[in-house]
Structures are given as structure tokens and as C-alpha cells.
Amino acid sequence: YYPIDVHQAIIQQLALSLDGHWLASADINGVIHLYDLRSDDFNTIKASARKLDGHSLALSGLVFSPSSHLLAASDISGNISVWNLTLLENNPDQFNASVLRFDQPGRVNDIAFDLAYEGASKQPEQYLFSASADENVYAWSLRGEQHTRLTKTHHAPVSQLALTRDETLNEYWLISADQNGQMVFWDLMRWESFGTGTLNSEFFYVDAGKQPVSALITNITRDPLAEVSDKWRHLMVGITDHHAQV
């Protein structure tokens, strides 16, 4: 193995972009480093390490967008930062200066980008969702518009977020889970109503058994045993305390 020893404190978070070009690491002091992996030489990768400014506390989230063009980080004080990685190619001197910053009320427990890029038209991501300790889910506009607080549905700190999308099935869902084991499915297919913050009737509840949800995975998959070829099902795994639910 080849150590990339650029941090001065315990590394807490790692994230890898879907295109395999970027690696991000964060330590317990909120220091974030970004590495360019487009080399077979580990010394070159280490030399590419770039420190990202904006956080001084432990992170609660570190994630690349599905397009691999954006990197988002959140910390325990409620600060959220989003970097545009395309500037590293075109205007590296403005990379840190152009970061988007959001200030969420309460601690951020999880963050997730929308799945606009996974649509047929490959649109850029429009929103970053955040799970808050103030029992809310927020949608932060990546285009500088006012943020949206989704309808108040949780009655405990929201701990986990996950998204799933399949245009062939006309399905697009955000799932949020809280520390009381309640999960909420948000229908994002009606994007216009969501964008105006009027998602009052577009959700439903699932009870995970009154245990804190510590991990959440969602997907849409075809049932291979189904007799009808267009029969599909949602797969959801919520890992609570000492067991998993599907």
C-alpha cells in the first residue's frame, strides 16, 4: 500500500467520485483534502492534494454529486459547503473562492444531491438535501435560489437520507429517516410543485420499529421472478440498532 499522509489528525470521512477521478478525505478537525486520481503514480496523487477551506469542526457528511462535478461537505455546527470541481480544470485560482455556503438551523446529520443528472437529459444537479437535528429536511438550491424546507413530518432528529430514480417507471423518491425509526417517502417526480415548496400531500410514512435508523439504502429493481415483465419493486434497507429491515 502507499500512504497519502497529508492529514495531521484522524481521518473521519472518505468519498470517491463516481467517475473515479476524485478522492476526498476529511479529518476530525474539519480539514478536507481533494486528490486527483487520474494517475498511476502515487507520488503524483499525493502531490495533487488540495486543501479545501470552509470547515473547522468534525464533518457529518462528505459526498460527490452523481455527475462528479460537485463535492459537498457538512459539519456538526450546521455549515454546508459545495465546491464546483470543473473549476479545477478551467480556473483553479477561483476554486475555493467560488464555493457555495449554506447555514442550516441545527446540526446537519446527512446530505445528498438530487438525481437530476441520472435523468435521460443529464441535467446538472439542482438541489442538495440535508437532514437536520431540528427534525426537518431542507433542499438547498445550487443555483442561488432560496432554500426550501420540506413539509414538517418528522418528530425526531432526521438522521439519514437516500434517493432513487427511474424515469422508465416514472419514479423519483427522496426517503428521510429519523431517530425514532420513522421514514418518510417524498415523491419528487412532480418537480415543479417541489421546487415551490408545496409538497404538502406528496409523501407517506413507513415505521421502522421505533429504533434509530443508522443507515438507509434505496433502489428500484425489477423482480426477476415476476411473471409479468413490467413488474418492478422498491428495495429499501433501513439498518436499525442491531438488525436490518427490507
Side-chain angles (χ1 to χ4, degrees):
Y1 67 93
Y2 297 88
I4 305 177
D5 50 351
V6 298
H7 285 278
Q8 304 299 315
I10 297 172
I11 296 175
Q12 182 188 37
Q13 301 262 0
L14 289 174
L16 181 67
S17 66
L18 290 177
D19 62 7
H21 290 175
W22 306 102
L23 172 69
S25 60
D27 63 33
I28 58 175
N29 293 329
V31 175
I32 304 170
H33 285 283
L34 179 69
Y35 315 85
D36 189 338
L37 300 182
R38 288 170 289 184
S39 173
D40 294 330
D41 181 72
F42 280 91
N43 289 325
T44 301
I45 293 174
K46 181 177 179 179
S48 74
R50 177 184 291 265
K51 183 180 177 181
L52 307 185
D53 300 327
H55 295 271
S56 57
L57 297 173
L59 296 191
S60 56
L62 185 67
V63 61
F64 286 95
S65 66
S67 66
S68 299
H69 294 161
L70 304 172
L71 172 66
S74 61
D75 65 35
I76 59 176
S77 69
N79 293 323
I80 302 172
S81 303
V82 182
W83 291 270
N84 186 344
L85 302 180
T86 62
L87 289 178
L88 279 179
E89 308 290 340
N90 304 320
N91 195 356
D93 293 338
Q94 294 298 314
F95 177 65
N96 263 319
S98 66
V99 62
L100 289 174
R101 302 200 188 278
F102 308 117
D103 186 13
Q104 178 191 276
R107 173 191 170 112
V108 182
N109 289 327
D110 197 14
I111 51 176
F113 283 99
D114 71 37
L115 301 182
Y117 189 77
E118 294 190 3
S121 58
K122 296 291 184 182
Q123 294 294 316
E125 290 84 8
Q126 301 178 45
Y127 291 93
L128 179 73
F129 298 99
S130 63
S132 176
D134 72 356
E135 304 179 358
N136 286 299
V137 178
Y138 293 88
W140 305 90
S141 172
L142 301 174
R143 298 175 294 181
E145 301 168 356
Q146 186 174 0
H147 75 276
T148 299
R149 189 186 73 179
L150 276 65
T151 304
K152 176 75 170 180
T153 56
H154 290 280
H155 301 286
V158 184
S159 56
Q160 299 289 328
L161 297 174
L163 290 99
T164 186
R165 179 175 186 170
D166 192 317
E167 288 191 338
T168 62
L169 304 177
N170 204 35
E171 299 280 4
Y172 187 10
W173 297 91
L174 165 69
I175 299 91
S176 56
D178 66 35
Q179 293 183 6
N180 283 345
Q182 184 180 81
M183 290 176 281
V184 180
F185 282 66
W186 305 87
D187 186 354
L188 300 186
M189 207 61 199
R190 298 182 182 182
W191 190 257
E192 293 301 322
S193 65
F194 166 75
T196 58
T198 58
L199 222 161
N200 294 324
S201 62
E202 307 300 325
F203 61 84
F204 64 89
Y205 298 96
V206 174
D207 190 349
K210 307 302 181 183
Q211 295 291 332
V213 176
S214 57
L216 189 63
I217 302 172
T218 64
N219 193 14
I220 297 177
T221 182
R222 183 177 180 274
D223 183 354
L225 301 179
E227 295 181 1
V228 181
S229 61
D230 61 351
K231 182 179 180 181
W232 299 69
R233 61 172 60 167
H234 289 281
L235 171 65
M236 179 187 65
V237 180
I239 302 175
T240 61
D241 201 11
H242 296 110
H243 62 281
Q245 294 185 355
V246 180

